[in-house]
């Protein structure tokens, strides 16, 4: 097979890149090791920055988010038993975020790709990337017992944190930065009305972090911080609901509608960045290059901004015959990535209880929360990062 861009991975990054490249008239094929149902079965994020929504519209898959996405003009911080609204819309001159699940984003992108008849190879086994340091890169993979090859101009590594692309670059050519947090998130999905459908609620209590979110007006998403070695089997639904209630304010706790969990899992938290994001004709985008703790809801939005930059860089190459976009991609993407990493690390540090944070450290956290909700300047900093910084900040 011959194509212009071989995309590895059919998660949000790969699918969105494929859609934007197709719109620019650039041939592409996606190789995905799992099945479509497996990809859709991953329960992930649910808050979209406006730039991400705009990209879905640009890619021709904006109908779902426009119809079912729920605009959030504010968020709420709850600590010491009191809930404080942060008027994100007012503090950012009218910007907002949209609640719309990653699963729905992925399904919309999959459906659009299928409708356009674009090639996606699911259950592609043993995908390997070759000769990307030269001008004839290629990808090999196995399908139905056959070894197959894709010859291309460029390879896009959209294969996530555990993918093959980052693992295939020469050891000395990449630098990895990582911070692993000493706790995890226990998340529950339940088909019950969200307790706060128009404002995500972030909690910091002596028992740890909590988060009240949603996927729709009938489906809620909740999290509580838990020890890294905790086991989901140790958490009955009732234990979860009781623990969540104990970490928020009495009014909110009284209004939570509980029900059976349809998904319950524990996820670790890490900050991770691999630099650079280009290796000859191989480019990394999304989780293949970086991971953020989910606190700031930046993972999917960073993947989208990488893809926006990479798709326009490839369009410059093919349409304008200019190398500038691909030459600048890594530096441009990393500038936004590191700012989102900073925000995600800061909000995680502010809202969670750390095993070693007692005495002075705890008082600093409490002072910062008190300052944050009473200072317009401090709230503006939170708000402008929460809605998403511009693609390019000069
Ligand atoms: N060969 C082919 N496909 C692969 C390989 C491989 N060797 N390794 C991984 N993949 C596929 C995975 O099965 C997955 O479908 O690549 C895809 C990567 O998708 P994601 O992990 O979702 O990463 P990305 O598309 O960048 O989306 C980032 O997902 O993890 C969340 O918080 C993150 O919301 C953010 C979003
Ligand atoms: C979610 O709905 O999964 C979610 C929302 C906001 C966050 C993190 C996760 O900051």
């Amino acid at each position: 097979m011959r194509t212009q861009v071989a995309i590895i991975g059919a998660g949000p990054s790969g699918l969105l890149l494929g859609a934007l490249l197709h719109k620019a008239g650039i041939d592409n094929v996606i190789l995905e090791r799992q099945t479509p149902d497996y990809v859709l079965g991953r329960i992930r994020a649910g808050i979209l920055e406006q730039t991400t929504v705009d990209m879905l519209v640009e890619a021709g898959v904006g109908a779902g988010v426009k119809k079912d996405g729920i605009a959030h003009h504010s968020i709420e911080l709850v600590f010491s038993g009191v809930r404080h609204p942060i008027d994100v819309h007012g503090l950012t001159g009218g910007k907002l975020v949209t609640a719309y699940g990653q699963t729905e984003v992925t399904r919309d992108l999959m459906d659009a790709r299928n409708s356009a008849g674009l090639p996606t190879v699911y259950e592609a086994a043993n995908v390997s990337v070759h000769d990307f340091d030269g001008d004839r890169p290629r990808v090999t993979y196995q399908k139905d017992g056959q070894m197959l090859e894709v010859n291309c101009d460029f390879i896009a590594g959209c294969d996530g944190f555990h993918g093959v692309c980052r693992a295939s670059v020469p050891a000395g050519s990449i630098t990895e930065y990582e911070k692993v947090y000493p706790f995890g998130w226990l998340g529950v999905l339940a088909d019950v009305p969200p307790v706060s459908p128009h404002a995500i609620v972030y909690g910091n209590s002596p028992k740890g972090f909590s988060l009240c979110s949603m996927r729709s007006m009938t489906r809620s998403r909740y999290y509580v911080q838990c020890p890294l070695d905790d086991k989901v089997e140790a958490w009955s639904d009732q234990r979860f609901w009781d623990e969540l209630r104990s970490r928020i304010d009495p009014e909110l706790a009284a209004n939570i509608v509980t029900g059976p969990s349809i998904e319950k899992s524990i996820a670790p938290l890490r900050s991770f960045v691999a630099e650079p994001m280009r290796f000859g004709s191989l480019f990394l985008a999304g989780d293949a290059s970086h991971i953020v703790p989910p606190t700031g809801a930046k993972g999917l939005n960073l993947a989208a901004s990488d893809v926006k930059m990479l798709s326009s860089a490839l369009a410059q190459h093919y349409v304008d015959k200019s190398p500038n976009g691909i030459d600048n991609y890594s530096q441009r993407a990393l500038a936004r990535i590191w700012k989102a990493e900073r925000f995600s690390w800061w909000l995680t540090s502010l809202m969670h209880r750390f095993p070693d944070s007692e005495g002075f450290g705890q008082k600093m956290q409490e002072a910062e929360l008190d300052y944050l909700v009473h200072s317009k300047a401090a709230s503006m900093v939170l708000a402008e990062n929460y809605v998403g910084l511009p693609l390019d900040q000069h």
Side-chain angles (χ1 to χ4, degrees), residues 44-47 185 200 202 211 213-215 221 223 294-297 386:
R44 296 279 175 73
I47 294 295
W185 276 18
I200 306 288
Y202 296 81
L211 192 148
S213 183
M214 32 88 75
R215 291 292 175 268
R221 181 66 165 163
Y223 301 92
T295 322
Y386 193 77

Side-chain angles (χ1 to χ4, degrees), residues 8-15 31-34 38-39 42 44-45 102 124-128 157-165 285-288 290-292 294 298-301 303:
I8 316 301
S13 295
L15 288 165
L31 303 178
E32 165 58 53
R33 71 176 168 191
Q34 303 291 358
Y38 186 97
V39 173
R42 294 190 190 109
R44 296 279 175 73
Q102 176 169 319
N126 301 321
V127 172
S128 297
C158 299
D159 50 347
F161 185 65
H162 301 291
V164 66
C165 291
D287 275 15
H290 44 77
I291 296 287
V292 284
K298 290 300 169 197
L300 179 55
N301 294 297

Side-chain angles (χ1 to χ4, degrees), residues 62-121:
V65 67
K66 281 181 170 179
K67 173 175 171 290
D68 297 327
I70 298 168
H72 281 197
H73 290 67
S74 65
I75 61 174
E76 295 187 339
L77 305 183
V78 55
F79 54 92
S80 306
V82 178
R83 207 156 9 110
H84 303 265
I86 304 286
D87 174 15
V88 167
H89 189 260
L91 288 163
T92 60
K95 294 182 180 177
L96 50 81
V97 294
T98 301
Y100 189 70
Q102 176 169 319
T103 302
E104 287 66 35
V105 170
T106 306
R107 184 179 294 111
D108 295 346
L109 287 163
M110 274 183 186
D111 292 348
R113 188 168 182 87
N114 292 340
S115 301
L118 299 179
T120 308
V121 181

Side-chain angles (χ1 to χ4, degrees), residues 16 48-57 300-302 304-305:
L16 183 54
L48 306 184
E49 295 173 357
Q50 191 56 45
T51 48
T52 303
V53 173
D54 294 346
M55 247 172 273
L56 294 174
V57 172
L300 179 55
N301 294 297
L302 269 187
S305 54

Side-chain angles (χ1 to χ4, degrees), residues 13-326:
S13 295
L15 288 165
L16 183 54
L17 178 61
L20 292 174
L21 291 178
H22 175 63
K23 187 168 177 291
I26 299 169
D27 290 337
N28 63 87
V29 62
I30 298 181
L31 303 178
E32 165 58 53
R33 71 176 168 191
Q34 303 291 358
T35 64
D37 286 347
Y38 186 97
V39 173
L40 286 171
R42 294 190 190 109
I43 302 299
R44 296 279 175 73
I47 294 295
L48 306 184
E49 295 173 357
Q50 191 56 45
T51 48
T52 303
V53 173
D54 294 346
M55 247 172 273
L56 294 174
V57 172
E58 178 189 350
V61 296
V65 67
K66 281 181 170 179
K67 173 175 171 290
D68 297 327
I70 298 168
H72 281 197
H73 290 67
S74 65
I75 61 174
E76 295 187 339
L77 305 183
V78 55
F79 54 92
S80 306
V82 178
R83 207 156 9 110
H84 303 265
I86 304 286
D87 174 15
V88 167
H89 189 260
L91 288 163
T92 60
K95 294 182 180 177
L96 50 81
V97 294
T98 301
Y100 189 70
Q102 176 169 319
T103 302
E104 287 66 35
V105 170
T106 306
R107 184 179 294 111
D108 295 346
L109 287 163
M110 274 183 186
D111 292 348
R113 188 168 182 87
N114 292 340
S115 301
L118 299 179
T120 308
V121 181
Y122 287 97
E123 298 181 272
N126 301 321
V127 172
S128 297
V129 291
H130 310 274
D131 305 330
F132 48 84
D133 55 350
D135 57 5
R136 298 170 63 84
R138 57 195 178 87
V139 180
T140 57
Y141 67 97
Q142 278 179 302
K143 177 74 178 174
D144 303 330
Q146 271 197 302
M147 181 59 85
L148 299 162
E149 182 169 277
V150 179
N151 294 292
C152 52
D153 300 330
F154 298 103
I155 302 170
C158 299
D159 50 347
F161 185 65
H162 301 291
V164 66
C165 291
R166 189 180 75 246
S168 299
V169 306
S173 64
I174 194 166
T175 305
E176 298 183 352
Y177 302 86
E178 184 169 44
K179 177 180 180 61
V180 178
Y181 297 86
F183 41 73
W185 276 18
L186 167 64
V188 160
L189 198 63
D191 281 333
V192 292
V195 72
S196 178
H198 294 289
I200 306 288
V201 183
Y202 296 81
N204 178 328
S205 86
K207 300 177 81 177
F209 172 79
S210 65
L211 192 148
C212 300
S213 183
M214 32 88 75
R215 291 292 175 268
S216 70
M217 298 308 277
T218 59
R219 178 167 287 189
S220 298
R221 181 66 165 163
Y222 294 107
Y223 301 92
V224 294
Q225 172 185 347
C226 65
L228 262 182
D229 58 1
D230 210 339
K231 300 285 182 255
V232 69
E233 296 75 21
W235 287 86
S236 67
D237 287 358
Q238 190 56 54
R239 181 186 174 198
F240 177 84
W241 295 121
D242 292 345
E243 185 63 27
L244 177 66
R245 285 196 184 97
S246 73
R247 298 193 186 188
I248 53 184
D249 59 289
E251 179 198 10
L252 201 65
N255 292 331
I256 285 194
V257 176
T258 65
S261 59
I262 59 174
E263 195 272 346
K264 185 161 45 181
S265 57
I266 292 177
L269 278 70
R270 82 174 72 238
S271 299
F272 174 86
V273 179
E275 289 187 350
M277 297 168 70
R278 178 204 182 176
F279 306 87
S281 49
L282 169 66
F283 297 88
L284 302 180
D287 275 15
S289 166
H290 44 77
I291 296 287
V292 284
T295 322
K298 290 300 169 197
L300 179 55
N301 294 297
L302 269 187
S305 54
D306 288 354
V307 164
K308 175 66 180 173
M309 295 177 188
L310 182 54
S311 59
S312 60
L314 291 166
Q316 277 185 50
H317 168 84
Y318 284 111
V319 178
D320 307 334
K321 310 301 180 196
S322 163
N324 293 340
I326 57 178

